[in-house]
Amino acid sequence: MSVVYERVALIGLGLIAGSMAHAMRAHGLAGHVAGYARSSETRETARRIHLCDSIHDSAAEAVKDADLVVLAVPVRAMAEVAEAIAPYLKPGATVTDVGSVKRSVIEAVGPHIPEGVHFIPGHPLAGTEHSGPLSGFASLFQNRWWLLTPTEGTDPAALARLQDLIRGMGANTEDMEAGHHDLVLAVTSHVPHLIAYTMVGVADHLRRVTESEVIKYSAAGFRDFTRIAASDPTMWRDVFLENTDATLDILGRFTEELFVLQRAIRMGDGQHLHDYFTRTRAIRRGIIEAGQDTDAADFGRSAGTKQADGKG
Amino acid sequence: MSVVYERVALIGLGLIAGSMAHAMRAHGLAGHVAGYARSSETRETARRIHLCDSIHDSAAEAVKDADLVVLAVPVRAMAEVAEAIAPYLKPGATVTDVGSVKRSVIEAVGPHIPEGVHFIPGHPLAGTEHSGPLSGFASLFQNRWWLLTPTEGTDPAALARLQDLIRGMGANTEDMEAGHHDLVLAVTSHVPHLIAYTMVGVADHLRRVTESEVIKYSAAGFRDFTRIAASDPTMWRDVFLENTDATLDILGRFTEELFVLQRAIRMGDGQHLHDYFTRTRAIRRGIIEAGQDTDAADFGRSAGTKQADGKG
């Protein structure tokens, strides 16, 4: 693989940016990777493990001369970062982000992007429940989807170059309209995460079942809900605050469906339950046929630890 | 490992009974394993793959001379089976079951058990989304919990022997009061499963997001919900119809919690969301500290396929 960008700046040094640093280094995709994080502790850690080629004490410094700038901070922190770096962006550079919500990021970041700089929002569908500068690993994006939400005005050459980088890190990429992205992700990720958080909260409140029992017998289904519910609280707070409409829409549908099933349980309507449970099998078959499942069920996470690298 | 029971009869030849047959054979725990299934097709398959030492055309025949009889049929089919085999049970034999609900199974089966036969209800917390006579494998119970719900009157020697068999198959075992079992499982398994079924149903109904998108981007969280939602419909219908009270209790709490979070999203209450998401991290830490999680998140299933045997 050859160098795609001479200089890349990573703003935020958590799981995603850290994994990008590892992946770009492993595949020789960037001439120089500059990094910045708001917390001095994170910057120190990043320096100590040599996460990037250079770590800077301000975002403005980090983006200087960068051909690609990656905004990898919580969704609600994007606007401030964009404003801070705007004057220092190199003409012709590309700015992308890795936020889980796209419409609100576009609204927050777009106005700050100067003429002559390309803004191509993105979202890698990859993660683990770990966060921070030590949590990244090179294979996080292997065989994952990395969605981009360009607009009609997006420069085709800039888009193609970003796609090259993404594919170079092992991911598949596809374009999608931002609003549609937010709805698709509400269904496939955001609401499932909120439900998992809720289920763990219920168990936590239930005094008649001890915490040790919940923990001990968690392998019967509950365990994977707790994995999700250990995800970064700030990131997920921002997702729900910024993808409000789609989340509430899908949540409303979810609650309706749940009430219909709850009623069937209360009324003893076995036929309804059986029919419902039979229908949902079809989607599962579709996922297997599409090659989008592996033995390791992992909520889109690469099994949660660096040791899982080999699994993709 | 030495023989624990000279003759074991498996009534029902699905995933659990099939895995027991494999595990007992692998560890030399039974002198002879007799099997019966209601469907002639299942019996034929079991004969073809030599799942048991003998396959019988009636449950009555299968339990003849058996020292241990395992009822491994859907919860609502237990009563009929118990009634059918009752006259043929050997004095001093033990009858157990593997149903996911215990109170209603005890009510259904208990009255049919003749004097001099020991009834010790049980529930292995193990499974995959696959079902049928070809789905079993010897390591399904490895390092899983197998709960037993004996009563004060249960014969200690009969209980100890059954525990020996369970441990011989690689599982851990613990005693629990039947009603408490049903509540614990409602939290750790039944409601999580219902929620997963519901989420898949929502995706299925959503016309603005195509099925191919749901499938393609399922790794972002949704995928493991579909794994659960591919579980055996009859088994799960019976679970909800027979563990109604505990399920409705936990569902009610779940809905309340969900509404509180939904309101926080609608009102933009980021502090509430952040606090909630931070608290749920603690339970996750407890599970990891208790050694009850592995890299492979799998909803208590052994990664769903026989190839996963090595994983336990």
Side-chain angles (χ1 to χ4, degrees):
Chain A
M1 196 66 70
S2 55
V3 168
V4 181
Y5 292 100
E6 262 317 313
R7 193 175 179 100
V8 175
L10 302 173
I11 307 302
L13 295 171
L15 172 67
I16 297 294
S19 295
M20 288 182 72
H22 286 295
M24 288 188 289
R25 183 174 289 161
H27 300 289
L29 300 166
H32 181 103
V33 176
Y36 164 77
R38 197 181 51 172
S39 132
S40 62
E41 198 188 329
T42 301
R43 294 198 298 271
E44 260 169 56
T45 303
R47 279 189 187 108
R48 181 167 54 75
I49 64 170
H50 192 57
L51 186 62
C52 302
D53 300 305
S54 61
I55 299 290
H56 304 266
D57 291 332
S58 78
E61 259 181 67
V63 305
K64 200 168 163 259
D65 293 326
D67 305 288
L68 175 71
V69 174
V70 182
L71 308 181
V73 299
V75 170
R76 290 217 147 180
M78 295 274 182
E80 195 186 323
V81 166
E83 191 178 6
I85 63 171
Y88 306 96
L89 292 170
K90 178 166 118 176
T94 293
V95 174
T96 189
D97 77 295
V98 298
S100 307
V101 181
K102 296 273 61 77
R103 268 199 321 190
S104 71
V105 167
I106 292 168
E107 278 165 30
V109 173
H112 297 293
I113 303 293
E115 194 73 21
V117 170
H118 310 289
F119 177 42
I120 309 174
H123 179 205
L125 309 190
T128 75
E129 72 272 30
H130 303 293
S131 42
L134 295 168
S135 61
F137 51 98
S139 67
L140 178 65
F141 310 112
Q142 207 66 43
N143 206 30
R144 305 285 164 167
W145 284 98
W146 193 311
L147 300 175
L148 295 174
T149 62
T151 59
E152 278 180 31
T154 302
D155 181 67
L159 177 60
R161 199 169 168 194
L162 183 55
Q163 289 168 339
D164 282 348
L165 179 77
I166 289 168
R167 293 200 188 99
M169 291 188 292
N172 307 309
T173 180
E174 197 140 298
D175 298 344
M176 196 180 272
E177 188 272 322
H180 190 65
H181 166 279
D182 290 355
L183 181 64
V184 169
L185 267 289
V187 179
T188 58
S189 177
H190 304 169
V191 172
H193 274 74
L194 192 74
I195 287 167
Y197 273 117
T198 307
M199 191 63 226
V200 174
V202 169
D204 193 29
H205 291 160
L206 203 71
R207 297 294 165 223
R208 279 179 300 151
V209 175
T210 68
E211 191 174 310
S212 73
E213 282 173 324
V214 167
I215 288 170
K216 207 159 164 185
Y217 307 120
S218 59
F222 181 70
R223 189 178 62 187
D224 284 336
F225 284 75
T226 71
R227 183 186 296 260
I228 272 190
S231 299
D232 184 56
T234 305
M235 176 195 149
W236 281 99
R237 177 198 65 192
D238 285 10
V239 165
F240 295 119
L241 292 179
E242 296 298 336
N243 199 16
T244 310
D245 293 349
T247 299
L248 292 178
D249 173 10
I250 304 301
L251 264 180
R253 290 160 184 272
F254 173 83
T255 315
E256 280 167 28
E257 292 285 319
L258 189 62
F259 281 161
V260 173
L261 286 175
Q262 183 170 324
R263 182 175 175 277
I265 291 171
R266 203 183 292 279
M267 311 284 276
D269 187 350
Q271 192 60 48
H272 181 89
L273 295 172
H274 194 272
D275 289 351
Y276 199 95
F277 299 166
T278 303
R279 275 201 306 275
T280 49
R281 274 192 149 172
I283 282 205
R284 173 70 187 166
R285 274 196 297 273
I287 288 174
I288 290 168
E289 280 160 19
Q292 282 301 304
D293 196 18
T294 62
D295 275 353
D298 63 357
F299 278 97
R301 303 141 191 294
S302 190
T305 69
K306 294 188 184 182
Q307 288 79 50
D309 272 28
K311 285 186 181 170
Chain B
M1 197 64 70
S2 55
V3 168
V4 181
Y5 292 100
E6 261 316 313
R7 192 176 179 98
V8 175
L10 302 172
I11 308 302
L13 295 171
L15 172 67
I16 297 294
S19 295
M20 289 183 71
H22 286 296
M24 289 189 288
R25 184 175 288 163
H27 300 290
L29 300 166
H32 182 104
V33 177
Y36 165 76
R38 196 181 52 172
S39 130
S40 61
E41 199 187 328
T42 301
R43 295 198 298 270
E44 258 169 57
T45 303
R47 279 189 187 108
R48 182 167 53 75
I49 64 170
H50 192 57
L51 186 62
C52 302
D53 299 305
S54 61
I55 299 289
H56 304 265
D57 290 333
S58 79
E61 259 182 65
V63 304
K64 202 171 161 259
D65 293 326
D67 304 289
L68 175 71
V69 174
V70 181
L71 307 182
V73 299
V75 169
R76 290 219 145 181
M78 294 274 182
E80 195 186 323
V81 166
E83 191 178 6
I85 62 171
Y88 306 96
L89 292 170
K90 178 166 117 176
T94 293
V95 174
T96 188
D97 77 293
V98 299
S100 306
V101 182
K102 297 271 60 74
R103 270 200 321 191
S104 71
V105 166
I106 291 168
E107 278 165 31
V109 172
H112 296 292
I113 303 294
E115 195 74 21
V117 170
H118 310 290
F119 177 41
I120 310 175
H123 178 204
L125 309 190
T128 74
E129 73 272 31
H130 303 293
S131 41
L134 294 169
S135 61
F137 52 98
S139 67
L140 178 65
F141 310 112
Q142 207 68 43
N143 206 29
R144 304 287 164 165
W145 285 97
W146 193 311
L147 300 175
L148 295 175
T149 63
T151 59
E152 280 179 31
T154 301
D155 181 65
L159 178 60
R161 200 169 167 194
L162 183 55
Q163 288 168 339
D164 282 347
L165 178 78
I166 290 169
R167 294 200 187 100
M169 292 187 292
N172 306 310
T173 179
E174 198 139 299
D175 298 344
M176 196 179 271
E177 189 273 321
H180 190 65
H181 165 280
D182 291 354
L183 181 65
V184 169
L185 267 290
V187 179
T188 58
S189 177
H190 303 169
V191 171
H193 274 74
L194 192 74
I195 288 167
Y197 273 117
T198 307
M199 192 63 225
V200 174
V202 168
D204 193 28
H205 291 159
L206 204 72
R207 297 294 165 225
R208 279 178 302 151
V209 175
T210 67
E211 190 174 312
S212 72
E213 283 172 323
V214 167
I215 288 170
K216 207 161 166 183
Y217 307 120
S218 59
F222 181 69
R223 190 178 59 187
D224 284 335
F225 284 74
T226 69
R227 184 187 295 263
I228 272 190
S231 300
D232 183 56
T234 305
M235 176 195 147
W236 282 99
R237 177 198 64 194
D238 285 10
V239 164
F240 296 118
L241 293 179
E242 296 299 333
N243 198 17
T244 311
D245 293 350
T247 300
L248 292 178
D249 174 9
I250 304 302
L251 264 180
R253 290 159 183 272
F254 173 84
T255 316
E256 280 167 27
E257 292 285 318
L258 189 62
F259 280 161
V260 174
L261 286 175
Q262 183 169 325
R263 182 173 175 279
I265 291 172
R266 202 184 293 276
M267 311 283 278
D269 187 350
Q271 193 59 48
H272 181 90
L273 295 173
H274 194 272
D275 289 350
Y276 199 95
F277 298 165
T278 303
R279 275 202 305 278
T280 49
R281 275 192 149 171
I283 282 206
R284 173 71 187 166
R285 273 196 298 271
I287 287 173
I288 290 168
E289 281 159 19
Q292 282 301 306
D293 197 18
T294 61
D295 274 354
D298 63 358
F299 278 95
R301 303 142 190 292
S302 188
T305 67
K306 294 188 186 180
Q307 288 80 53
D309 271 26
K311 286 186 180 172

